[in-house]
Amino acid sequence: MELNEFIANFANQFDDTDASEITASTAFHDLDEWSSLTGMGVIAMAKTVYGKTITGAEIRSCDTVENLFNLISNK
């Protein structure tokens, strides 16, 4: 799993947020479009694209997109 690929897949979870706004250092909880529904999309993405199971609590413990990448890649 590569960070840039993960960022692209993560950005695809958003309908209205431009993908260029999302980088490794993005504090995704601060994005206007972030919601529990988006979090569920990230959980589904982790399972279907990467074969990893993560929880909402684990997502909440991450501050940046790179933290989330590290969480999923180390599962």
Side-chain angles (χ1 to χ4, degrees):
M1 175 168 52
E2 298 222 4
L3 180 58
N4 287 334
E5 173 193 340
F6 178 80
I7 292 169
N9 288 332
F10 181 84
N12 285 336
Q13 304 307 307
F14 296 86
D15 294 325
D16 299 325
T17 304
D18 191 274
S20 66
E21 291 182 42
I22 300 174
T23 66
S25 62
T26 299
F28 61 91
H29 295 284
D30 295 337
L31 294 171
D32 288 341
E33 195 177 351
W34 180 259
S35 68
S36 58
L37 184 60
T38 311
M40 293 299 292
V42 171
I43 290 171
M45 174 199 70
K47 184 68 172 174
T48 59
V49 176
Y50 301 107
K52 309 289 178 96
T53 300
I54 60 172
T55 66
E58 289 173 319
I59 292 174
R60 285 190 298 277
S61 73
C62 296
D63 296 322
T64 65
V65 175
E66 188 169 14
N67 293 151
L68 189 58
F69 167 80
N70 291 331
L71 168 74
I72 293 170
S73 62
N74 291 324
K75 281 274 186 173

